[in-house]
Amino acid sequence: MRGLTLLLFVGLFASSSFTAQSSSSQFVPGNYGSADGALLLQTNGNYVEPYFATKALITARDAGLDIRQAGLAWIRWALQRQRNDGRFERYCQKAGADWSPCGPADADDSMLALWLQLLYRLAPDSGIPPEWQTSAQKAQSQLAKLRNGRLGIYRVSGRNHVALFMDNVEVYSALRDIAEAQSRFGDQQAAKRTYKQAENLAAAIDRVFWDNHHKWFRASMQKNQPAFYPDVLAQVYPLLADFPLKNEDARSAWSGWRSRFASAWLEDKYDPHPWGLVALAAMKVGDQSSALCWLSRAEPLRYSLRWNILEEAVYQGLEQKLQARRSTYALACSKTMDHRSAGQP
């Protein structure tokens, strides 16, 4: 099970019709950014969780925002602090002092995947820039070490051999993006190999995590008492990542999730955090009403202790896409809440 920090959290998704490659609207870190390029977990804070920072950038770009300015500044900042083995840590800053490591990353597998995904997405068509190449090679080497050759899935870290569903979907999403970038670079052979890795991982995820009895994905290889996080939240990750579903399409999967859990999610019945990634999944499959409802309910939480840079990335992206429909927030919420949740996590 992940640490407490991830209760502030959370995926990823490959390119789709929802994803915009460029946008006139920029992602603005605001009080979640510092002058040196660091991206803070919470507003005006002194703590950097690289997982959240990197995922927020990828999420903002998938939501249609231009992340180049903030993304390149973050890459410059993080390159200086990446460990020699390719991994990242958490970083804190005391008054008047520089940033210093203050704890290990919560999950190396997902962080390494996200880092590679960001580098490949922001790389020019000529390929990974020379100043990024060593970093990418180290991250790829370290990620490869976390793959369980027998099961075909990735474990959390060298210290924690548990494999988590959401982490592996994030690795899958990163592999898809890397392959697309390699194709853009003109290296079709590398792209073909990476696409095959993604396909193999998708098959392994199905074998290891699909619970045919309950008709949903297990959040972990370990048995645990089901809860909204991670179990219920995990079910939207395939929608965000364009993960191939065997038994239904994405719209049907979302419809089932919405009918069971939407009102509980929007009313914070089981979890105090907003979980904007669910709203992003709704938007991706065409459910604007649920996304609008989330915007309405989440707006008062901005910059509170229940908010973080990832929620801010989702909010800015959805607000930009749906700004013309702000007047329909109340109606959207009314329609969404009519689908009362009967499901229990």
Side-chain angles (χ1 to χ4, degrees):
M1 181 64 66
R2 294 195 172 198
L4 180 60
T5 302
L6 278 187
L7 292 179
L8 295 168
F9 153 90
V10 204
L12 282 180
F13 28 108
S15 63
S16 69
S17 59
F18 178 66
T19 302
Q21 297 304 314
S22 62
S23 171
S24 59
S25 297
Q26 286 195 11
F27 171 58
V28 181
N31 291 337
Y32 293 93
S34 65
D36 61 0
L39 293 175
L40 313 173
L41 180 65
Q42 292 187 299
T43 180
N44 295 317
N46 62 351
Y47 174 66
V48 172
E49 165 56 274
Y51 172 90
F52 279 85
T54 310
K55 190 171 184 72
L57 288 167
I58 293 170
T59 298
R61 190 170 188 266
D62 283 338
L65 300 177
D66 180 356
I67 66 165
R68 180 158 294 274
Q69 182 175 339
L72 294 178
W74 165 248
I75 288 172
R76 287 192 294 270
W77 186 92
L79 280 174
Q80 302 174 49
R81 294 164 176 84
Q82 186 179 18
R83 290 168 54 105
N84 288 334
D85 62 7
R87 293 182 294 137
F88 293 88
E89 298 179 283
R90 293 163 171 162
Y91 304 92
C92 300
Q93 184 182 51
K94 295 182 179 179
D98 194 8
W99 295 96
S100 59
C102 56
D106 191 70
D108 290 334
D109 58 347
S110 54
M111 178 57 214
L112 291 166
L114 287 170
W115 177 248
L116 289 166
Q117 190 170 26
L118 183 66
L119 294 183
Y120 275 86
R121 280 194 175 195
L122 291 185
D125 290 347
S126 56
I128 297 292
E131 61 270 28
W132 299 358
Q133 288 177 8
T134 299
S135 172
Q137 290 166 1
K138 289 179 179 179
Q140 287 172 326
S141 176
Q142 189 62 230
L143 182 60
K145 293 177 182 178
L146 299 179
R147 184 175 179 273
N148 182 312
R150 181 176 64 86
L151 297 176
I153 56 176
Y154 292 80
R155 48 196 171 93
V156 169
S157 69
R159 306 173 304 278
N160 184 350
H161 290 196
V162 172
L164 302 177
F165 172 69
M166 289 187 287
D167 289 35
N168 276 272
V169 173
E170 288 178 325
V171 176
Y172 166 82
S173 179
L175 290 172
R176 287 283 305 272
D177 269 10
I178 292 169
E180 290 176 11
Q182 290 168 332
S183 180
R184 176 166 56 89
F185 301 160
D187 191 347
Q188 303 303 329
Q189 288 187 337
K192 186 176 180 179
R193 289 194 299 269
T194 308
Y195 272 124
K196 183 61 176 176
Q197 290 176 0
E199 290 176 356
N200 291 342
L201 177 57
I205 289 172
D206 269 330
R207 287 195 304 270
V208 173
F209 293 105
W210 179 250
D211 182 341
N212 196 51
H213 177 69
H214 294 98
K215 303 300 180 185
W216 76 351
F217 289 100
R218 302 180 185 90
S220 171
M221 289 180 65
Q222 293 182 321
K223 290 184 178 181
N224 61 293
Q225 183 66 33
F228 186 88
Y229 174 83
D231 304 271
V232 174
L233 180 68
Q235 309 312 310
V236 305
Y237 260 52
L239 310 182
L240 293 169
D242 290 327
F243 186 85
L245 300 172
K246 292 189 301 183
N247 301 319
E248 58 185 348
D249 60 25
R251 289 178 182 271
S252 297
W254 168 251
S255 178
W257 193 97
R258 172 175 161 161
S259 66
R260 296 179 65 190
F261 303 114
S263 66
W265 158 55
L266 291 166
E267 293 172 345
D268 305 327
K269 184 175 181 180
Y270 300 125
D271 191 285
H273 304 291
W275 298 113
L277 288 178
V278 178
L280 213 52
M283 185 69 186
K284 187 172 183 184
V285 300
D287 181 2
Q288 290 191 2
S289 292
S290 292
L292 283 163
C293 188
W294 180 84
L295 277 174
S296 175
R297 288 174 170 264
E299 190 168 21
L301 300 179
R302 290 183 81 186
Y303 314 120
S304 72
L305 291 177
R306 294 170 60 185
W307 202 256
N308 59 56
I309 189 171
L310 180 56
E311 303 293 357
E312 181 66 16
V314 174
Y315 188 92
Q316 288 188 29
L318 290 182
E319 185 180 46
Q320 188 271 333
K321 280 190 170 294
L322 298 170
Q323 57 185 338
R325 298 193 57 192
R326 291 183 69 90
S327 62
T328 67
Y329 278 2
L331 178 60
C333 261
S334 176
K335 289 181 178 179
T336 298
M337 300 304 285
D338 281 344
H339 295 267
R340 291 292 169 179
S341 301
Q344 297 290 327

